Amino acid sequence: MNIFLFLFIVKIQLSFSLDPYAQQQLDRVSKLPGQNFNVSFEHYAGYVTVNEESGRALFYWLLEADEDPSSKPLVLWLNGGQWIFILYFFSESLSANVLFLDSPVGVGFSYSNITNDQLNNGDKRTAADNLEFLLEWFKRFPQYKGRDFYITGESYAGHYVPQLSQAIVRHNHKNGEVIINLKGFMVGNALTDDFHDYLGLFQFMWSVGMISDETFKQLNVFCDSQSFIHTSGPCDKVLDIADEEIGDIDMYSIFTPPCTANFNRFSRLLKQKKKVGLIRRAYDPCTEQHSTVYFNLPEVQNVLHVHKKNSPSKWETCSEEVNENWKDTPMSVLDIYRELIPLGLRIWIFSGDTDAVIPVTSTRYSIDALNLPTTSPWRAWYDDGQVGGWTQEYNGLTFVTVRGAGHEVPLHKPKQALTLIKSYLSGNSMPKLEQVSDL
């Protein structure tokens, strides 16, 4: 090869490795397969290595706000396995720059170069990896450094979100400066405290008529002091009895029908580039199955810059392998709330009230355990003149329920979820009923 050509190629490669904006352009996402509409925002997807020794790399997807993204905060969205909420954000005007993260390694498209590294996940390593991800991600997107930053998530992210918030606060304190400008966090239907989560779960299932009186009593005897993740044999037996009594319903949304769709037809429509209703207003009980089909399409993974050689062989909404091999998991994160609330962070907890996995009763028990003074009493909040749910404000924490929503609130009630996130980001209370004059 001509020496001058060689030096030119090396120079180009070095410029890309040193210039974060060049890497941003490599991560830019073009039009998605099946997308029959134009969007007015930019989005990026790719990987950030969080551990050089093992080659652990976490997959991210950034959706910038559609209007003046430079003036909007950055919101990190974490989940306990599900990724289907991206569809919701495509269908609404983005009021923030939203950063989705596949975490921990082995979830979604995230991977490790070490075989079976996904079998060694736990809360501590996940928090450390997520912090490292953010520190490296801000180097790639320096325009976001110093921006108001919030963390949100649902389900097992009830652990991830406060743990990462704690890690950021401690990292900033250790360095004597604000490295990451964390302003607050919000979690929904969140695993928080095993004792209260179980107590509220059993009460919820019994109160809506899902289980018998006898099973309700046995659950409280054999499971009340159990880990929500690692249960004992006697507790498992009673849980199996409860499962039989409950029958074939969607525990994540107890009043909606389960999925019975034909996914071969869905896949064919995608390949024919026909409109298939990926983005919809009404709740689709088959969203999880649609997502599995969609994110396993080679053309989708190509557009999202997925490293097919390294990432899990099949994209799944939840990784049973990761779940079954989970290591450390504290029985409560209420101690983190007690540490962070005095710092003045904006902390909100929301709950869809038709979820029977981590129901509203569980969340209420956990909040009550904090013994926070009430600053604004229990009341209904409204969306377009209709009760959207209920809310109560405490000293340092706001609680919001979303009426008729299941475990994944943005999936079940996207309009109300948008009202929720806008209220949270603006720091305003949930809307009251507006009085309309007859004049």
Side-chain angles (χ1 to χ4, degrees):
M1 179 185 293
N2 183 289
I3 184 63
F4 295 106
L5 177 60
F6 173 77
L7 292 175
F8 176 76
I9 293 174
V10 170
K11 182 179 179 181
I12 292 296
Q13 291 176 335
L14 285 174
S15 68
F16 269 83
S17 64
L18 296 175
D19 182 3
Y21 295 101
Q23 181 60 53
Q24 286 183 34
Q25 295 310 307
L26 292 176
D27 288 355
R28 185 187 294 273
V29 176
S30 58
K31 197 169 186 177
L32 290 168
Q35 179 184 326
N36 294 358
F37 54 91
N38 294 321
V39 296
S40 57
F41 56 87
E42 300 291 344
H43 52 126
Y44 305 81
Y47 290 87
V48 171
T49 300
V50 297
N51 186 285
E52 294 289 347
E53 183 178 354
S54 66
R56 284 202 302 277
L58 300 185
F59 178 83
Y60 80 90
W61 193 351
L62 170 68
L63 280 68
E64 292 193 325
D66 58 354
E67 293 182 4
D68 195 15
S70 63
S71 68
K72 304 292 175 60
L74 176 65
V75 176
L76 173 66
W77 187 279
L78 298 171
N79 263 89
Q82 307 280 9
W83 238 59
I84 51 186
F85 315 102
I86 290 173
L87 305 178
Y88 155 69
F89 284 103
F90 269 123
S91 65
E92 293 289 356
S93 175
L94 293 173
S95 56
N97 303 287
V98 184
L99 176 61
F100 297 93
L101 179 63
D102 271 350
S103 174
V105 64
V107 168
F109 294 127
S110 295
Y111 67 86
S112 172
N113 290 332
I114 292 183
T115 304
N116 295 330
D117 199 16
Q118 71 276 8
L119 305 183
N120 295 302
N121 284 313
D123 281 27
K124 291 181 180 178
R125 192 174 85 167
T126 299
D129 282 357
N130 288 345
L131 175 61
E132 183 63 20
F133 166 84
L134 287 174
L135 295 173
E136 293 300 317
W137 187 88
F138 279 115
K139 293 177 183 177
R140 186 175 304 180
F141 289 84
Q143 67 267 36
Y144 283 98
K145 192 171 184 180
R147 194 86 59 92
D148 285 358
F149 179 64
Y150 300 90
I151 310 175
T152 58
E154 296 175 319
S155 196
Y156 199 84
H159 279 209
Y160 298 153
V161 171
Q163 288 167 345
L164 177 56
S165 299
Q166 179 189 56
I168 291 172
V169 167
R170 292 181 174 181
H171 183 77
N172 287 344
H173 183 264
K174 178 182 177 182
N175 286 274
E177 61 176 311
V178 177
I179 306 296
I180 299 175
N181 190 23
L182 179 68
K183 292 297 184 181
F185 66 85
M186 179 169 68
V187 293
N189 291 86
L191 186 70
T192 303
D193 178 273
D194 287 357
F195 175 78
H196 294 110
D197 287 341
Y198 264 143
L199 179 66
L201 171 61
F202 303 151
Q203 183 175 337
F204 181 85
M205 291 192 299
W206 177 80
S207 66
V208 297
M210 299 169 70
I211 58 174
S212 65
D213 293 355
E214 181 60 28
T215 299
F216 174 61
K217 293 175 184 176
Q218 290 185 351
L219 285 168
N220 282 292
V221 170
F222 292 106
C223 299
D224 67 340
S225 60
Q226 293 288 306
S227 164
F228 216 83
I229 303 301
H230 302 297
T231 55
S232 67
C235 177
D236 283 336
K237 289 181 180 179
V238 185
L239 288 171
D240 287 340
I241 294 172
D243 187 58
E244 285 292 324
E245 292 179 349
I246 291 167
D248 185 18
I249 69 169
D250 184 356
M251 291 291 284
Y252 292 90
S253 178
I254 64 173
F255 299 125
T256 54
C259 174
T260 57
N262 182 334
F263 296 104
N264 290 329
R265 177 179 177 274
F266 175 82
S267 181
R268 288 198 306 271
L269 289 173
L270 274 175
K271 291 179 179 178
Q272 295 167 10
K273 298 183 178 180
K274 293 183 179 180
K275 191 171 183 179
V276 295
L278 277 175
I279 299 161
R280 50 174 64 217
R281 301 284 177 173
Y283 168 62
D284 179 1
C286 299
T287 302
E288 179 178 350
Q289 289 85 347
H290 292 326
S291 302
T292 302
V293 172
Y294 187 74
F295 287 112
N296 278 296
L297 292 175
E299 56 267 37
V300 172
Q301 295 184 6
N302 286 335
V303 170
L304 294 177
H305 313 125
V306 172
H307 293 177
K308 297 180 183 179
K309 180 180 178 181
N310 306 86
S311 63
S313 57
K314 181 181 179 182
W315 187 94
E316 299 175 297
T317 55
C318 287
S319 171
E320 287 302 320
E321 183 180 51
V322 170
N323 179 60
E324 292 173 359
N325 292 279
W326 198 256
K327 305 303 181 185
D328 58 295
T329 174
M331 295 190 71
S332 179
V333 294
L334 290 178
D335 58 319
I336 300 180
Y337 281 85
R338 296 186 180 100
E339 176 184 338
L340 298 183
I341 285 175
L343 303 182
L345 296 173
R346 186 181 303 158
I347 300 175
W348 284 32
I349 299 177
F350 63 91
S351 183
D353 61 12
T354 66
D355 173 32
V357 176
I358 306 175
V360 61
T361 43
S362 297
T363 301
R364 295 184 75 174
Y365 277 127
S366 291
I367 293 174
D368 287 346
L370 291 171
N371 294 314
L372 299 172
T374 297
T375 58
S376 181
W378 189 266
R379 67 170 176 85
W381 64 270
Y382 289 82
D383 182 70
D384 283 346
Q386 300 294 321
V387 173
W390 291 266
T391 182
Q392 182 164 335
E393 297 177 15
Y394 302 86
N395 185 15
L397 185 148
T398 295
F399 177 52
V400 179
T401 73
V402 182
R403 186 165 68 104
H407 190 66
E408 299 96 1
V409 169
L411 173 65
H412 294 276
K413 295 291 181 179
K415 189 173 183 297
Q416 290 79 1
L418 186 62
T419 299
L420 170 66
I421 190 68
K422 284 184 174 180
S423 296
Y424 172 73
L425 292 176
S426 65
N428 295 325
S429 300
M430 294 300 290
K432 298 180 178 180
L433 179 63
E434 295 182 2
Q435 299 297 328
V436 179
S437 173
D438 293 332
L439 299 178

